[in-house]
Amino acid sequence: MPKPKQFNLLMVRDDGSRVLRLSVPGWAVGVVVGGLAVTILGLAFIYPDYVSLRHQRGTFAALSERLHIQQGLLDASQSRLREIRGEIDSWRDLHAKIWEPFGPEAVPAKRGIGGKTGEQPARAPVKEEMDRLLGIVREEGESIRTLERFLGRASRVLASLPSRWPVRGPVNSDFGQRRSPWAPNSEFHSGIDIGAPVGTPVKAPAPGVVIFAGQHAEYGVTLVIDHGNDTKSLYGHLSRLNVAMEHAVNRGDTVALTGNTGRSSGPHLHYEIQVKGQPVNPHSYIWEEPGPAVAKSAR
């Protein structure tokens, strides 16, 4: 029987002296070599997958970062869309306030676009949200155009309203019930008394036509202007008239000078607005702030 092969491993120092001698059976060396060969072959098969996985890991990290950035942009877009929807809601409230004075029959019919903005889901897809917003903006745009057409027709009426102060001064006696300066009982005052020195210019608060210019039993030298739409303005206790009957006046024209004529206890202007022949509170028509006090009590 042949003797099994052995491999001797000899370790020596630099000076040539032997340190260690190790005998290894041939089969053990074969096993080690075979194992190394199998390991190398295995690594050769696995390495491409490792390289691919490492590359995919890097790609996944980059995609995760991009996804995080895009999610941030999406959240910001959702926030901006909610702000826009809130702004559109405020348009609706503003439209309602503008239409309110004209009555419910003047308000245009609404076309539904999915309800109020607050009723929509907070996390709706961006495209769906944009489609909803586009529909609402179109609806509000049509509402604005309708309002523009309506105000265009109403502008002629608004322009004819006596909306300015004819004289700047303190209101010494207001519209409505007051204590009579001539008797112990109260009386209804059909206008307002604006304190002003004699000779103060009286400005037309709106365009119109003079329908009375002359003496009045109570108001002395008196002027009445017809502004159209059943609206007239009266100016009493004047010292001089600058216009005559059927004279057309524009807003801001000097039509008279204040005085103390008629039944009056001091220089002032009696200013009155009549609608369909009935006196109304001039404060409801005057849009300007009152002027500074320039006179003391009158009438």
Side-chain angles (χ1 to χ4, degrees):
M1 183 175 181
K3 185 177 180 181
K5 292 183 179 180
Q6 287 190 345
F7 292 88
N8 295 320
L9 178 63
L10 181 64
M11 299 180 65
V12 296
R13 295 178 179 172
D14 292 339
D15 57 3
S17 61
R18 187 174 61 180
V19 176
L20 177 64
R21 180 178 179 179
L22 181 62
S23 296
V24 180
W27 62 267
V29 174
V31 170
V32 172
V33 172
L36 288 175
V38 171
T39 301
I40 291 172
L41 289 174
L43 289 176
F45 283 107
I46 294 174
Y47 182 75
D49 293 337
Y50 168 75
V51 172
S52 176
L53 288 174
R54 186 169 182 178
H55 175 71
Q56 290 177 9
R57 180 180 179 184
T59 303
F60 178 75
L63 290 175
S64 296
E65 183 178 358
R66 289 179 59 186
L67 180 63
H68 179 72
I69 295 174
Q70 291 176 356
Q71 184 63 48
L73 293 175
L74 180 61
D75 291 341
S77 298
Q78 291 280 1
S79 178
R80 290 294 296 164
L81 287 175
R82 285 193 293 271
E83 291 178 9
I84 294 172
R85 294 179 70 85
E87 180 66 22
I88 293 175
D89 266 343
S90 70
W91 294 357
R92 289 177 165 178
D93 295 337
L94 180 59
H95 292 170
K97 290 179 181 178
I98 293 174
W99 281 111
E100 184 178 5
F102 303 107
E105 64 278 0
V107 180
K110 290 287 186 181
R111 297 188 300 275
I113 306 292
K116 293 280 284 182
T117 59
E119 298 173 1
Q120 303 302 331
R123 299 291 295 182
V126 174
K127 184 180 183 304
E128 178 183 345
E129 188 74 1
M130 290 297 292
D131 290 341
R132 292 182 186 276
L133 283 178
L134 180 59
I136 295 171
V137 168
R138 285 174 176 169
E139 178 191 1
E140 295 305 308
E142 180 59 31
S143 178
I144 291 174
R145 286 187 287 272
T146 301
L147 179 61
E148 180 186 26
R149 291 191 294 269
F150 180 82
L151 292 179
R153 295 192 298 269
S155 61
R156 293 185 295 274
V157 177
L158 295 175
S160 68
L161 295 179
S163 58
R164 296 184 181 179
W165 289 88
V167 168
R168 294 289 186 171
V171 176
N172 298 317
S173 184
D174 224 324
F175 176 85
Q177 289 297 129
R178 69 171 186 178
R179 175 193 258 176
S180 172
W182 317 108
N185 57 328
S186 64
E187 66 176 6
F188 177 76
H189 190 216
S190 58
I192 59 176
D193 289 345
I194 307 173
V198 174
T200 302
V202 178
K203 307 286 187 178
V209 177
V210 177
I211 60 172
F212 182 85
Q215 288 289 333
H216 186 279
E218 181 176 359
Y219 300 131
V221 179
T222 303
L223 176 69
V224 179
I225 300 176
D226 187 349
H227 302 287
N229 301 294
D230 294 320
T231 303
K232 301 178 179 65
S233 57
L234 181 149
Y235 312 83
H237 310 301
L238 303 171
S239 62
R240 192 181 80 182
L241 296 169
N242 287 17
V243 292
M245 286 283 293
E246 299 184 357
H247 189 103
V249 299
N250 296 314
R251 178 181 277 119
D253 288 351
T254 299
V255 294
L257 302 180
T258 59
N260 192 31
T261 60
R263 196 182 183 200
S264 172
S265 61
H268 72 284
L269 173 70
H270 173 82
Y271 178 52
E272 185 173 319
I273 294 179
Q274 301 171 357
V275 177
K276 296 183 178 180
Q278 298 298 318
V280 297
N281 191 340
H283 290 294
S284 300
Y285 285 79
I286 298 174
W287 297 350
E288 295 179 316
E289 293 295 327
V294 294
K296 296 185 180 178
S297 87
R299 183 155 187 178

